[in-house]
Structure formats: structure tokens, C-alpha cells
Amino acid sequence: MNRGMYAQIQATIRRKPDEIESLIQLLSSSRYLERIADHATNVAEDVIYMVEGVIVRHGVERYVGETDEGEKA
């Protein structure tokens, strides 16, 4: 998300250099929102581990639809 926002803001800065301050603030906000989303994901993964005992951090697709024995549901 942040990379795409960076490219858009860079193009807008070239078109409207007089609005650079607000565009830089927008870029910072984008970065902070992405960090908040990353932290929320980490919290959710920790909760899943505490409740289910399943580690989902590295490869959610391995765990979706599997039984406790590792068989497809």
C-alpha cells in the first residue's frame, strides 16, 4: 500500500509543487496506517495462537480447512 501511495504522491508533487507540505503529511499518514495494520495483524495472530494453539504467522493457507490431525476438512 505504502509503495503505491508513494508513487502517487511523487507524481502529484511534480504536478502541484505548492502543495508539497500536505502531500508529505499524507505520505506519513499512509505509512503510519500501514504500521497500525501490521500491528493489528500481529495481535490477531497472537490471539489465534492463545485460543487455538495454532501458529498462523507463516502461511495461513496451510491451516485453513484442516482438522487437528492435519487432514483436509
Side-chain angles (χ1 to χ4, degrees):
M1 177 180 104
N2 196 38
R3 289 181 187 170
M5 182 63 73
Y6 181 81
Q8 288 179 340
I9 289 177
Q10 188 178 26
T12 305
I13 287 173
R14 288 189 177 126
R15 288 193 317 267
K16 300 178 182 181
D18 55 317
E19 296 180 17
I20 193 166
E21 186 174 335
S22 61
L23 291 168
I24 295 299
Q25 289 175 351
L26 182 63
L27 182 60
S28 293
S29 298
S30 166
R31 184 178 315 126
Y32 298 141
L33 286 172
E34 187 171 29
R35 289 200 48 139
I36 290 168
D38 289 341
H39 289 304
T41 299
N42 291 340
V43 168
E45 290 168 345
D46 288 345
V47 169
I48 291 170
Y49 177 72
M50 288 188 288
V51 172
E52 303 286 330
V54 177
I55 299 172
V56 294
R57 286 190 191 270
H58 307 289
V60 174
E61 60 277 353
R62 291 189 315 190
Y63 301 105
V64 174
E66 291 184 0
T67 64
D68 289 339
E69 292 80 33
E71 301 168 351
K72 291 288 182 185

